[in-house]
Amino acid sequence: MKQNEVLLMAFMGQSNMAGRGNAAEAPALIQGAGYEYRAVTAPDCLSPLQEPFGQNENKENGVTEPGMKTGSMVTAFVNACYTKTGIPVIAVSCAKGGSSISEWLPGTNYYRDAVWRVKSCEQWLRSHGYHIIYQGMAWCQGCTDGDLHTPRETYKMHTESFLQSFCRECKIAACFLIQIGNHRDDRKLYVPIQKAQEELAREHENIILVSSQFKTFADRGLMKDEFHYLQEGYNRTGKEAGENTGKYIIRALREQM
C-alpha cells in the first residue's frame, strides 16, 4: 500500500446497518484499519472509528435517529476488509432505521443526504492529500418493505433505481449487498424481498452479495427481537461481509493494473 491510499465506504440502509446491538461487545478496531468521516458533526477531520458507529451523525431533513444506534457490524466489517486489502477504510454513516426503499429513491431527503455525505468525504480526503483508490457502499435494507408487503417486483425496481443512480452520482464502483434476514416470528414474511435482492445481485455486475448470514440467525438464537440481532450476530455478519468485500476489491484493483 502506498502512503495515504484509502478506501471510501458508505454504510447505508436501515436499522440492521445502523446497528441495534451492544457496542461493548463489538470487536476492537485493528490499529490503522479505518476511520470515520463525520460529515455532520466533525467535517474538518477524520475521527476514530468506534461503536456505536455514526451515533451522532443526525441531520435535520435527512437521516436522523438520535439515541437509536447502539452497536453495529461496521467495525467487524472494516477489520475484515482491512485484513484482506491492507488499505484503511474511511467509513461514512448514513443508515436510518425503519426506512422503506421508497424513502431512498433519487430526489428524496435520505438520498440527497447520502450523496452530500459521500461527496463531502471525497472532497475532504482529496483536499488533504489522500488517494482514494476505491469507492464503494455497503447496503442492508428491506425489512420495512417486507412488513409493508411491498411487491417483489416493485422492491426490485425501486432498489435498482436507487442503487444505480447513487453509484453514478457518487462514483461508487460497487454496492456490497448484505441480504436481510427473516422476521423472527414469521419466517416467510421477508422471503419476497430476499429473492429480489438475490436477483439484483445476479443481474448487475456492480451489485455484489457479500453476506446472507442474517437469514440463519432466527434459528441460531441470535435475534434480540422480531427484527434485530444480538451484537454477536452483527459481528459475524460484518466479518463475513468485510472479508468478501475485501476479496472483491483486491481482484478489482488487480484487474485495473
Side-chain angles (χ1 to χ4, degrees), residues 45-81:
C45 64
L46 295 179
S47 299
L49 198 163
Q50 57 191 27
E51 298 291 343
F53 174 71
Q55 65 175 326
N56 296 317
E57 288 295 277
N58 301 302
K59 187 172 185 287
E60 187 177 358
N61 297 320
V63 168
T64 181
E65 49 172 26
M68 298 298 290
K69 294 179 172 70
T70 56
S72 78
M73 70 174 93
V74 174
T75 300
F77 182 109
V78 168
N79 281 345
C81 186

Side-chain angles (χ1 to χ4, degrees), residues 193-210:
I193 303 302
Q194 292 167 345
K195 288 183 176 178
Q197 292 172 337
E198 291 166 2
E199 290 171 6
L200 286 165
R202 285 197 301 268
E203 295 168 9
H204 297 277
E205 291 184 354
N206 67 335
I207 300 176
I208 317 302
L209 184 60
V210 290

